[in-house]
Amino acid sequence: MNETRRDRDAEGRARNARPRDGLGRPLPYGAPGVERQPEGVVRTPAETLAEAQRLLDAGMPFHAHEVFEDAWKSGPEDERELWRGLAQLAVGLTHSARGNTAGGARLLRRGAGALAPFAGSAPYGIEVAGLSDWARELAGRVESGPTVDAAAEAPRLRG
């Protein structure tokens, strides 16, 4: 019988323990990787935006998506689409930088769509309209061009 052993976290949940690169791709066991974002961290919106911007600027949109995901899961119900849309933008940039042009473009557009209800305001100083424009423009370039550099394409979350 072929038994496979799954990596588990401290609570016993299945969790891949392989190291990851800056775009979240798994590396071989024992390889040096980028430290993962801790899960389930409750941050203020300002802390969320600052940490996500730091990660985006460092070319680590996969890790920024995890920060947005924490805000989406722990924040007020009426803000969940905001944080989910920002997470989708970060994942779209991740896929685009990994060379997955179709998935990257689709997620960038989906994130822009999720942000649409917030375009008339600037919650927490987030430049929603500008981010949506950035996402749609990048989606068009990704579909017809080469793989993008995540750090070079990092959006500004606030003005």
Side-chain angles (χ1 to χ4, degrees):
M1 179 158 58
N2 181 11
E3 290 186 58
T4 57
R5 185 167 176 248
R6 295 181 75 185
D7 297 328
R8 304 240 174 229
D9 66 13
E11 286 81 41
R13 291 178 297 200
R15 176 120 23 226
N16 191 321
R18 287 172 60 184
R20 304 269 173 167
D21 72 5
L23 291 173
R25 295 175 290 216
L27 298 169
Y29 286 103
V34 174
E35 188 173 336
R36 290 185 176 189
Q37 285 298 119
E39 290 184 33
V41 176
V42 177
R43 299 173 181 88
T44 67
E47 291 168 336
T48 295
L49 292 166
E51 180 64 4
Q53 188 69 66
R54 182 187 72 78
L55 293 164
L56 289 167
D57 292 345
M60 297 168 51
F62 178 81
H63 298 78
H65 125 271
E66 292 177 331
V67 171
F68 288 134
E69 193 170 273
D70 284 340
W72 156 24
K73 291 179 178 179
S74 67
E77 184 69 34
D78 63 339
E79 293 181 2
R80 290 201 175 164
E81 280 301 296
L82 171 70
W83 301 112
R84 188 170 73 96
L86 292 169
Q88 289 171 328
L89 294 183
V91 173
L93 179 55
T94 299
H95 282 286
S96 299
R98 288 178 177 175
N100 176 0
T101 58
R106 184 173 42 252
L107 280 160
L108 287 164
R109 288 190 179 105
R110 188 179 299 159
L115 294 177
F118 301 93
S121 62
Y124 308 110
I126 300 169
E127 293 290 334
V128 175
L131 279 173
S132 295
D133 291 344
W134 165 84
R136 288 186 193 97
E137 188 274 331
L138 182 59
R141 280 193 291 125
V142 163
E143 287 177 320
S144 61
T147 300
V148 300
D149 179 293
E153 296 293 343
R156 297 300 316 154
L157 300 173
R158 296 197 255 189

